[in-house]
Amino acid sequence: MSLEITFLGTGSAFPSPARGASALVLRREGQCWLFDCGEGTQTQLMRSHLRAARISKIFITHLHGDHFFGLPGLLCTLSLQSSPDASRAPVDIYGPLGLRSFLWRSLELSHSQLLFPYTVHELVPTPDQCPAEEFKDFSGWDRGEGVPQGPAGRVLHLDPGEDSYLLLEDEQLVVRAFRLFHRVPSFGFVLEEKPRPGKLDVQKLRDLG
């Protein structure tokens, strides 16, 4: 399995002429996975060797603007570069509780209609992930406000036994989120490659001594 990481932005709090806001891309098996999407991420993508159209998964660490304010614009730009395709797999977006509402409202208020499907998988934080005065419970947002019109997706809770959130798993790897402690609920992401069986014929080696 080949993995390649490209840093698109390493700035903090606000972008500068030399450093964009937080964003990096993991390229894997021809797909691009984007981690954080600060303001200006799509411009940085255009300057890179990467193809934005290959983005299939997006992971948002926390809901501070320098880590996700670029997301609605990026999705709209990807849509402008797309053609309608009912068979296209949705772009999966993972992030803290509240992200689904933010995206839904941003796209609705700007009258943006994406030509591809997307799903938002929200991680439910625990209150001890940030100072008590900063913790906000977004679980009741949009209740009774036409939520079915919003994007589909799962609501993921902490697995106490693993102390993590299982996001996805395939034949090659497992992706989990784990809690970080910041001024707002935050998450880190771990990609764990599964053991790969060797190709040696052990019995033949034994026979040959």
Side-chain angles (χ1 to χ4, degrees):
M1 180 171 60
S2 122
L3 298 174
E4 176 186 291
I5 292 178
T6 301
F7 292 91
L8 299 176
T10 58
S12 176
F14 58 87
S16 74
R19 297 175 70 184
S22 180
L24 70 85
V25 170
L26 172 73
R27 190 162 65 169
R28 176 210 175 208
E29 308 294 324
Q31 296 184 9
C32 290
W33 292 4
L34 176 64
F35 291 81
D36 278 342
C37 188
E39 182 182 354
T41 294
Q42 57 181 312
T43 306
Q44 294 293 90
L45 275 166
M46 293 173 190
R47 292 173 177 160
S48 75
H49 65 286
L50 302 167
R51 292 181 56 190
R54 294 285 180 90
I55 294 175
S56 59
K57 300 188 188 305
I58 300 172
F59 302 83
I60 302 298
T61 58
H62 63 292
L63 301 185
H64 272 156
D66 54 331
H67 291 257
F68 80 116
F69 276 171
L71 187 51
L74 174 65
L75 294 177
C76 289
T77 296
L78 292 177
S79 181
L80 290 173
Q81 299 171 349
S82 304
S83 55
D85 181 1
S87 64
R88 177 174 171 174
V91 173
D92 287 304
I93 303 172
Y94 299 85
L97 195 65
L99 183 58
R100 178 183 289 114
S101 178
F102 168 80
L103 278 177
W104 176 44
R105 290 177 183 273
S106 297
L107 297 173
E108 284 288 309
L109 288 169
S110 60
H111 297 268
S112 302
Q113 295 183 345
L114 303 184
L115 295 179
F116 59 85
Y118 73 101
T119 57
V120 180
H121 308 288
E122 294 186 300
L123 310 179
V124 178
T126 57
D128 60 346
Q129 279 183 252
C130 67
E133 64 273 13
E134 297 284 351
F135 183 80
K136 295 181 180 178
D137 182 3
F138 295 126
S139 58
W141 275 34
D142 300 325
R143 192 167 289 163
E145 293 187 24
V147 172
Q149 299 175 24
R154 296 174 292 155
V155 175
L156 303 170
H157 294 268
L158 180 73
D159 179 344
E162 296 287 342
D163 198 28
S164 64
Y165 303 73
L166 177 62
L167 304 187
L168 60 100
E169 182 174 5
D170 62 23
E171 304 80 22
Q172 293 183 317
L173 56 75
V174 178
V175 182
R176 296 182 183 274
F178 61 93
R179 295 176 298 164
L180 297 176
F181 300 88
H182 188 32
R183 288 196 300 110
V184 298
S186 305
F187 299 91
F189 302 99
V190 171
L191 285 73
E192 181 181 354
E193 188 176 4
K194 290 184 176 179
R196 289 179 290 175
K199 296 180 180 179
L200 291 175
D201 187 336
V202 177
Q203 187 56 50
K204 187 172 184 179
L205 288 173
R206 289 197 182 106
D207 295 341
L208 295 171

